[in-house]
Amino acid sequence: MAKIKFLFQHVYLVLFCVQAYQVIIDGLVIDGCDTEICRQFAANRARKQQERNQVLSKYRDRFFRSDVNHWIGDLTFQELIYQLQTRRLSAVQVLSAFIGRAVNATDEFNCVTEFVPDAMKWAIELDSLPYLKGPLHGVPFCVKDDHKIKGMDTTLGYSRNLYRPAHKTATLVKIYQDLGAVPFCKTNVPQTLVTFGSDNPIFGTTVNPLNKRLSPAGSSSGSGCIVGSKAIPFATGTDGAGSGRLPAHFNGVSSIISTPKRISVEGLQAAIPKLLGLNTVPAIFADKPSTLTTIYKALTENNIQNLNDPTTVPLPWRPQLFEEKRPLRFGYLTSMPYFPTLGDTPLVIEETKRRLEALGHTGVPFQMPDGHLLMKTFTDILFADRGQYLSSQIKDDKIASSFVVQNLGLKFPTVQRKLATVLPVTGNLELLLKIGLDSEKSAGLQETVDVARRIQKQILQQMQENNLDLLLTPVFPVPALRLDDPGNLVLALCYVVPWNLAEFPVGVIPMGIESGKNIDAVNTNGDFFLSLAKTNLQNAIGMPIGVQIVGKPFQEELILRTLQELETSK
């Protein structure tokens, strides 16, 4: 029997290597196919790239005024609001300055995909009004590619989505406009949105504005980058597995994601539309927490979300929760055994804990659920359809480098992945080889979704037993990764994924800088993924380290209060 299993293992390994080689050759070297559809996709990409370059060239000539761009762009967000509310600055002046800054940032970091053609018209209309339209009157902002804007493409990095303009603008974007804000550009994303890389075959690779050799993370790559470059005070994003938090951590900015159904998602294009058990929620990226608060308050005051989208919870902004001064109790963890934090990350958590305690709050050690269980539950939900939807969207397309590894997994037929059970592998490698197998049938998916609910209950129970208001956790084991490595370190998402599974709101704030003095503090013991993270750490010296402030469902105001207290304490 042992000999049969040994033979089976070696036959499988040969099949696995042959299949892997073919997938890599098909998706990376040959770069797609030679069918009519492939040629049409390539032609559409070339056409879109040419159109984009023409717009950038025109805008460089039209909006390049460095003195004005610097003066207006260097105002704090509160000063900008004041100048617009008192009409010392017009919406056109402000928009012109930020378009110029966005063009400069895109030339440098490739963060903007397209500019909204009607943005200047909207700014002119605002200036013509005898009254202020709302609390964000005249404030320009950028939207992630997955936010639909009437007349514009929503590509998600797929060539097949080019020249298929949206017929309706996303509800959330319209709410921003009703508040007076001006959406003026769309930002880049990785192909598929299910990787935290930053490239696609249409618009190319977005790089980190603090170090162009490093990744800005994703999938809200362009939004995190453009805010991190200081070209714009805030931008929108989405988050289904860290996409609204990792870019904040990598680019040194703040962000917040909401509890599902607090903020409208109508008109935000989902990465996997029929996904069950995992909700994508809107995110906001901003230069600092006080900016986040101003925006989030405007988005939720007067029950504006539910009035525009009845599927959202009728829960307006609660000033008493934000303004209360009572001392809080927070749980904290510096690392998870499943994928330990490296370098200065655990030290930054400890320092943040001390700052919170100096503000009068009480820290209590917190124990997270098993990391392997968290990641298995997440991947089983994400790939319950065996990746069929993603495969259908990426078919005949050029494959982005950030999706090569995942595409490799999608190419393996189910029977081969089932044969992986006879391989002499365990732990993370087994998880990756058998990804999604336990949820392919409805009973398995129901069980997996139930595991996610039990994870939520386990976390809430521990918080209630310790009378905790919030949690303080790392965002990621290390600071920003090299450009090509996000696709190789999916397992390191164990710090962000739990809050998507549990449906908790989360805020991120940068609280430290990687010094490079503690790189060898953790022994990788030959672990491939941990060793790769450690290699990345050596390239991330001087990069920001963010922390997560996690709240119970619908406690966004408490998160924002805490983020602002930390901002002041710095």
Side-chain angles (χ1 to χ4, degrees):
M1 189 65 185
K3 289 183 177 180
I4 294 175
K5 184 174 182 179
F6 178 81
L7 179 62
F8 220 173
Q9 290 171 354
H10 282 71
V11 169
Y12 178 82
L13 283 171
V14 171
L15 289 173
F16 185 93
C17 292
V18 169
Q19 180 80 35
Y21 175 78
Q22 188 60 49
V23 170
I24 292 171
I25 292 299
D26 287 346
L28 189 60
V29 179
I30 295 178
D31 193 23
C33 61
D34 193 33
T35 67
E36 181 59 34
I37 295 177
C38 296
R39 288 192 290 271
Q40 185 61 56
F41 285 173
N44 285 347
R45 288 196 300 270
R47 175 184 166 194
K48 177 62 71 173
Q49 290 159 6
Q50 182 180 21
E51 292 171 351
R52 180 189 187 222
N53 289 335
Q54 289 172 346
V55 171
L56 284 168
S57 178
K58 181 177 73 173
Y59 278 15
R60 280 188 207 101
D61 296 336
R62 181 179 175 186
F63 297 107
F64 182 75
R65 290 184 61 195
S66 59
D67 54 340
V68 176
N69 293 354
H70 281 300
W71 175 69
I72 294 177
D74 289 345
L75 292 171
T76 68
F77 189 67
Q78 300 308 322
E79 289 169 344
L80 180 65
I81 293 282
Y82 174 77
Q83 293 284 336
L84 285 163
Q85 293 281 311
T86 58
R87 300 207 151 171
R88 286 172 169 81
L89 283 174
S90 69
V92 169
Q93 285 176 305
V94 171
L95 178 59
S96 298
F98 281 108
I99 289 177
R101 292 171 72 91
V103 170
N104 292 340
T106 300
D107 287 343
E108 192 78 13
F109 313 117
N110 194 36
C111 45
V112 172
T113 57
E114 296 187 271
F115 287 89
V116 180
D118 289 334
M120 189 56 69
K121 182 186 78 172
W122 295 332
I124 293 170
E125 289 173 354
L126 287 172
D127 287 336
S128 70
L129 295 174
Y131 55 85
L132 295 171
K133 190 170 184 180
L136 300 180
H137 180 97
V139 176
F141 72 104
C142 305
V143 300
K144 184 177 177 179
D145 170 271
D146 63 355
H147 291 46
K148 292 181 181 178
I149 293 181
K150 185 177 179 179
M152 298 188 72
D153 292 338
T154 310
T155 70
L156 276 62
Y158 296 122
S159 302
R160 70 178 61 250
N161 289 339
L162 286 172
Y163 302 104
R164 297 170 63 183
H167 300 295
K168 189 177 179 181
T169 296
T171 299
L172 181 57
V173 176
K174 289 196 292 186
I175 290 173
Y176 274 113
Q177 290 181 280
D178 289 343
L179 296 168
V182 182
F184 76 95
C185 65
K186 300 192 82 173
T187 57
N188 205 22
V189 296
Q191 190 177 43
T192 74
L193 269 63
V194 299
T195 168
F196 64 106
S198 62
D199 68 309
N200 64 70
I202 306 167
F203 301 110
T205 303
T206 300
V207 299
N208 193 302
L210 306 178
N211 184 335
K212 289 194 282 187
R213 295 174 301 167
L214 303 181
S215 170
S219 61
S220 307
S221 313
S223 290
C225 170
I226 198 166
V227 175
S229 74
K230 305 188 187 311
I232 191 79
F234 86 95
T236 70
T238 50
D239 190 307
S243 298
R245 290 162 286 159
L246 292 167
H249 171 63
F250 278 33
N251 297 287
V253 300
S254 296
S255 71
I256 188 167
I257 66 168
S258 292
T259 312
K261 293 191 177 296
R262 178 117 197 228
I263 303 293
S264 175
V265 296
E266 180 65 32
L268 306 188
Q269 182 60 51
I272 304 175
K274 296 181 181 180
L275 186 65
L276 299 175
L278 196 65
N279 291 298
T280 295
V281 295
I284 305 167
F285 295 94
D287 54 356
K288 60 181 78 171
S290 53
T291 303
L292 286 179
T293 299
T294 299
I295 298 162
Y296 201 88
K297 180 182 177 183
L299 282 178
T300 53
E301 275 188 322
N302 304 315
N303 203 28
I304 191 172
Q305 293 294 323
N306 185 256
L307 291 173
N308 284 273
D309 181 356
T311 67
T312 59
V313 176
L315 183 64
W317 175 262
R318 292 163 293 175
Q320 69 279 6
L321 192 58
F322 176 75
E323 295 169 4
E324 67 176 355
K325 302 300 181 184
R326 70 177 177 88
L328 304 175
R329 287 175 59 85
F330 65 94
Y332 69 93
L333 68 143
T334 60
S335 190
M336 292 174 64
Y338 175 76
F339 204 121
T341 52
L342 303 175
D344 292 339
T345 297
L347 304 180
V348 170
I349 295 292
E350 291 283 2
E351 174 59 24
T352 306
K353 167 184 169 289
R354 285 191 288 270
R355 292 195 184 198
L356 287 170
E357 289 173 338
L359 292 166
H361 308 307
T362 301
V364 177
F366 191 82
Q367 184 70 43
M368 286 295 292
D370 175 65
H372 186 274
L373 175 67
L374 291 170
M375 291 307 297
K376 184 180 187 309
T377 304
F378 165 67
T379 53
D380 281 351
I381 288 175
L382 191 64
F383 294 101
D385 70 340
R386 293 174 294 166
Q388 289 181 359
Y389 178 79
L390 295 177
S391 295
S392 71
Q393 296 301 293
I394 211 164
K395 183 181 179 184
D396 299 320
D397 208 346
K398 180 179 179 181
I399 308 301
S401 62
S402 61
F403 195 67
V404 167
V405 174
Q406 289 87 339
N407 187 51
L408 176 64
L410 296 180
K411 294 282 187 177
F412 292 128
T414 300
V415 65
Q416 276 190 281
R417 287 187 286 139
K418 286 182 177 178
L419 281 172
T421 57
V422 303
L423 278 172
V425 294
T426 57
N428 290 334
L429 187 54
E430 182 182 21
L431 184 154
L432 293 172
L433 288 174
K434 297 170 62 179
I435 193 167
L437 282 176
D438 291 340
S439 57
E440 286 184 354
K441 296 182 179 180
S442 58
L445 178 58
Q446 289 171 355
E447 175 62 28
T448 302
V449 172
D450 185 62
V451 171
R453 298 289 75 80
R454 293 202 299 268
I455 288 170
Q456 181 192 58
K457 290 179 181 179
Q458 180 182 344
I459 294 171
L460 281 172
Q461 181 179 349
Q462 189 180 169
M463 292 183 73
Q464 290 166 350
E465 288 174 352
N466 290 280
N467 193 28
L468 301 178
D469 300 289
L470 300 164
L471 298 175
L472 165 65
T473 83
V475 184
F476 199 69
V478 293
L481 301 176
R482 296 175 300 191
L483 278 169
D484 293 333
D485 276 333
N488 301 320
L489 283 171
V490 175
L491 299 176
L493 297 177
C494 59
Y495 293 93
V496 289
V497 160
W499 316 118
N500 298 100
L501 292 172
E503 301 185 340
F504 282 23
V506 188
V508 172
I509 180 173
M511 290 299 296
I513 299 291
E514 177 58 51
S515 69
K517 297 178 180 178
N518 298 288
I519 291 176
D520 296 321
V522 173
N523 189 342
T524 61
N525 292 316
D527 182 287
F528 170 79
F529 301 106
L530 205 54
S531 298
L532 183 58
K534 185 174 180 179
T535 299
N536 271 274
L537 184 61
Q538 296 167 344
N539 291 273
I541 296 172
M543 295 301 289
I545 298 172
V547 304
Q548 293 186 110
I549 301 296
V550 183
K552 296 174 186 175
F554 302 105
Q555 297 290 297
E556 288 84 358
E557 291 90 342
L558 199 59
I559 291 172
L560 288 165
R561 169 199 162 180
T562 307
L563 291 178
Q564 278 203 217
E565 288 181 353
L566 287 171
E567 176 189 343
T568 304
S569 76
K570 290 198 295 182

